[in-house]
Amino acid sequence: MRKYLLAGASLVAMMGMGGAANAGDTLPPAGKTFCDPYKNYGCLDSYLGNDFFTRFINYYRLEWGKDAAPSDPKAPASRRDAWPATPQSIPPMPFSEWPYGGTTSIGVTRPNSVDSPLMSALGNTSVGQAMNDSHIQVYGWINAGGNLSNNTVRGGNSPAAYDYNPNTVQLDQAVVYIERLPDTVQKDHVDWGFRIAPIYGENYRYTTAYGLWSNQLLQQNKNYGYDMPMAYGEVFIPYLADGLLLRFGRYISIPDIEAQLAPNNYMYTHSMTYTFDNYTNTGINASLSLNKNWMVQGSVSVGTEAMPWHVGAKIPNANPNPLFPDTTMLKDPGAQPSFSAGVRYVTDSGKDGVYVVANGINNGTWGYNNLQWYGLTYYHKFNDQWHISFETYNEHQNNVLNLDNPASVALVASGTPFSLDVMPWNAPFGAHCGNTTQLSCTASVQTFLTYVNYSPTKLDNISYRLEWFDDKQGQRTGVKTRYVETGLGWQHWFSPQIEMRPEVSIYRALDAPAFNGNANLGIPPNKKTAVIGSADIIIHF
């Protein structure tokens, strides 16, 4: 990676402070005659060179200062005729379609469509040719960042995220995608796909599902760990309405403005709205495009952040009690048959998109992350420079341990599936039910989140985030309080492959101190306000 960064730095020096030698020109690699694949796509291979490392470096050179990859005039159409217009582009946005989950985008996805230095470097090899013929792609990114904060305790930035530790630099995530994208533009044959997406870094603590390598977080509290938030297969059936896509395996929960994967976000940090809701489901999701404007979804899973082998699994109970009265208890009461349903509407112009979802629905009993989620996202594009994103949801869990009742508090040590004798680190919080008589109660959250986005150039996006987060019983953040949070971030792309995101965010807990503490270490929070400046860099490969 250092080699191409140095090459990129040299290229910038050659191009001068303006970022380009001449408008529309691409500088040739050292020792090569001039050839601009942006003007003559047929000379791309000549520009890149022959050996893997030369091609890898030269692809970064090629795209430096550009807002898109060179266009292949022979490429098939990437969008169905009369389909709603593409609202955005990458860069400067983290997405081109208004985000929706649980499916490869129907009507706008072609195989072998990723813009990847790695795939380009492999392009003239036998391995690359075989992958291309099989429509298999391998690509990813490295994401690192740091923050300066008024908090000082380890983990003290929480409930802000993903910058858990204040005043530090960290590897957020290193991610590899191994995938085959089904062709959802065509309507004449059944197609299939898959994605395997291992992740390593600090961000694993936000993607962990109980029962899948979760000992790293729940038994050891490691700062860095690994996970696989996506491991699924897909089948696209074009003959039903405008296409049915079936996804089966572990996949990102629906919906949300934000995502676990760094490039899919406006800003480096995440809203609390995103941090404390559903992350992944494991099961089967069906997405049916009724027509160009309407899509409906339905899924069956084993709950949120739950694994199939935990359904019905029991563990010994060393301390039977009124909440868990038997000598055994379910290992994760939230691991149970669950369903989700969603409906999405997008206008012909592509300027408006509404997505309404109920996610992870079952009996709602207190589980590792058994959230009963009801909400929506909405997007509106004013013009090529301005658009807004809005999200609201209500989520709840039932039968949550009442931390205001001394008898229930005693069960924190032993007697529940999430007591210290079972889960010594990062266990789900109990609830402050507001009385000392109940052993448990329903804990709920109400949120409102908006992003206002302005793109002054094709390589820049400025995002203003404003949210209200009401943790009514404190089950999500550990503190019963209302929060107001606001942040301003700048997403700047040096090329479609390298981006940075500096920002500053201010969090205010209105009812009780919520920052500069660490429940794992027994340190109570002592600050109502957190001020966090941060920045990261994403290097795609």
Side-chain angles (χ1 to χ4, degrees):
M1 291 301 173
R2 188 172 300 165
K3 289 183 179 178
Y4 82 73
L5 283 173
L6 291 174
S10 299
L11 185 58
V12 171
M14 293 170 64
M15 291 190 297
M17 295 302 291
N22 293 295
D25 286 345
T26 298
L27 292 179
K32 284 193 171 290
T33 59
F34 189 81
C35 161
D36 188 349
Y38 282 90
K39 296 180 178 179
N40 177 12
Y41 189 82
C43 72
L44 178 62
D45 268 333
S46 172
Y47 179 95
L48 293 178
N50 296 319
D51 67 277
F52 174 86
F53 290 105
T54 299
R55 291 173 64 90
F56 188 69
I57 293 169
N58 283 343
Y59 198 82
Y60 286 98
R61 285 178 176 266
L62 171 66
E63 290 197 340
W64 189 267
K66 306 292 186 180
D67 60 15
S71 177
D72 181 359
K74 297 180 180 179
S78 60
R79 196 174 201 84
R80 289 186 190 169
D81 291 340
W83 217 245
T86 305
Q88 303 293 347
S89 65
I90 307 172
M93 294 300 165
F95 49 76
S96 56
E97 305 295 321
W98 299 132
Y100 57 105
T103 177
T104 292
S105 296
I106 296 174
V108 297
T109 302
R110 288 286 194 186
N112 301 349
S113 56
V114 66
D115 178 27
S116 161
L118 176 60
M119 292 304 299
S120 296
L122 288 169
N124 68 340
T125 68
S126 58
V127 171
Q129 289 292 331
M131 293 174 66
N132 186 67
D133 292 343
S134 302
H135 302 316
I136 293 175
Q137 305 172 128
V138 178
Y139 61 102
W141 59 87
I142 296 173
N143 172 221
N147 75 89
L148 295 174
S149 171
N150 66 327
N151 298 308
T152 57
V153 171
R154 179 188 174 193
N157 278 345
S158 180
Y162 287 175
D163 46 359
Y164 178 73
N165 290 311
N167 305 305
T168 190
V169 175
Q170 65 189 27
L171 171 64
D172 291 283
Q173 52 183 249
V175 177
V176 175
Y177 277 9
I178 306 168
E179 70 177 15
R180 184 188 193 277
L181 294 175
D183 188 339
T184 70
V185 177
Q186 58 78 32
K187 294 195 67 179
D188 58 19
H189 66 273
V190 174
D191 206 357
W192 62 276
F194 70 88
R195 174 178 287 172
I196 300 172
I199 179 175
Y200 178 80
E202 185 269 357
N203 291 177
Y204 92 100
R205 71 169 46 244
Y206 298 97
T207 69
T208 295
Y210 189 21
L212 185 65
W213 306 310
S214 54
N215 281 353
Q216 300 171 97
L217 181 68
L218 305 180
Q219 299 296 323
Q220 302 171 63
N221 195 31
K222 287 186 175 181
N223 191 51
Y224 291 108
Y226 56 87
D227 192 19
M228 193 174 293
M230 288 180 281
Y232 58 73
E234 292 184 318
V235 176
F236 177 64
I237 305 169
Y239 313 121
L240 297 175
D242 265 319
L244 171 68
L245 191 135
L246 302 175
R247 177 174 290 184
F248 48 91
R250 188 184 183 200
Y251 52 87
I252 304 298
S253 298
I254 57 176
D256 274 323
I257 293 173
E258 301 164 51
Q260 295 101 323
L261 291 310
N264 302 137
N265 297 282
Y266 297 118
M267 295 170 63
Y268 173 38
T269 62
H270 286 274
S271 65
M272 295 176 66
T273 294
Y274 181 72
T275 301
F276 295 102
D277 76 343
N278 305 38
Y279 272 28
T280 65
N281 298 111
T282 299
I284 300 174
N285 187 74
S287 302
L288 178 64
S289 181
L290 298 175
N291 53 45
K292 62 181 180 178
N293 304 109
W294 289 92
M295 181 191 72
V296 293
Q297 293 178 296
S299 69
V300 177
S301 71
V302 293
T304 301
E305 272 71 76
M307 288 288 106
W309 42 88
H310 276 182
V311 176
K314 292 191 174 184
I315 57 175
N317 183 1
N319 181 24
N321 58 83
L323 280 179
F324 297 92
D326 300 324
T327 56
T328 62
M329 54 187 168
L330 291 171
K331 188 169 187 175
D332 180 8
Q336 55 178 294
S338 310
F339 72 90
S340 300
V343 59
R344 177 180 184 263
Y345 173 76
V346 61
T347 57
D348 286 345
S349 67
K351 289 186 175 181
D352 293 272
V354 182
Y355 191 25
V356 181
V357 168
N359 183 259
I361 308 304
N362 52 47
N363 64 13
T365 193
W366 185 42
Y368 174 68
N369 208 35
N370 192 31
L371 303 173
Q372 310 299 289
W373 195 102
Y374 301 88
L376 65 84
T377 60
Y378 169 67
Y379 300 85
H380 175 70
K381 177 180 177 179
F382 296 98
N383 52 44
D384 288 341
Q385 283 73 47
W386 291 92
H387 83 266
I388 60 171
S389 307
F390 174 78
E391 180 173 354
T392 182
Y393 67 69
N394 184 277
E395 65 184 13
H396 71 271
Q397 291 188 78
N398 303 321
N399 308 314
V400 182
L401 188 73
N402 181 11
L403 298 178
D404 295 329
N405 184 329
S408 294
V409 171
L411 300 180
V412 171
S414 179
T416 80
F418 312 114
S419 295
L420 292 172
D421 61 335
V422 177
M423 195 174 288
W425 301 95
N426 301 299
F429 290 117
H432 291 279
C433 300
N435 63 74
T436 60
T437 57
Q438 294 177 263
L439 291 174
S440 65
C441 66
T442 295
S444 64
V445 164
Q446 179 64 54
T447 76
F448 299 95
L449 166 69
T450 189
Y451 281 91
V452 179
N453 300 282
Y454 171 64
S455 299
T457 77
K458 292 292 188 180
L459 294 173
D460 295 280
N461 176 50
I462 298 170
S463 294
Y464 174 68
R465 182 173 69 208
L466 178 65
E467 74 170 320
W468 167 272
F469 187 93
D470 187 357
D471 194 358
K472 296 179 182 294
Q473 285 76 32
Q475 195 279 322
R476 301 310 295 147
T477 67
V479 178
K480 181 179 180 179
T481 184
R482 299 163 297 164
Y483 298 85
V484 176
E485 182 263 330
T486 188
L488 184 65
W490 172 37
Q491 184 178 20
H492 175 69
W493 300 72
F494 298 100
S495 75
Q497 306 302 337
I498 303 175
E499 59 181 294
M500 69 172 189
R501 298 179 298 185
E503 67 176 74
V504 61
S505 295
I506 301 173
Y507 302 79
R508 176 69 177 175
L510 300 180
D511 305 308
F515 299 95
N516 205 41
N518 190 320
N520 283 319
L521 304 178
I523 302 172
N526 59 14
K527 293 183 179 180
K528 284 189 173 183
T529 301
V531 181
I532 304 173
S534 57
D536 73 333
I537 186 168
I538 304 173
I539 302 171
H540 302 252
F541 58 81

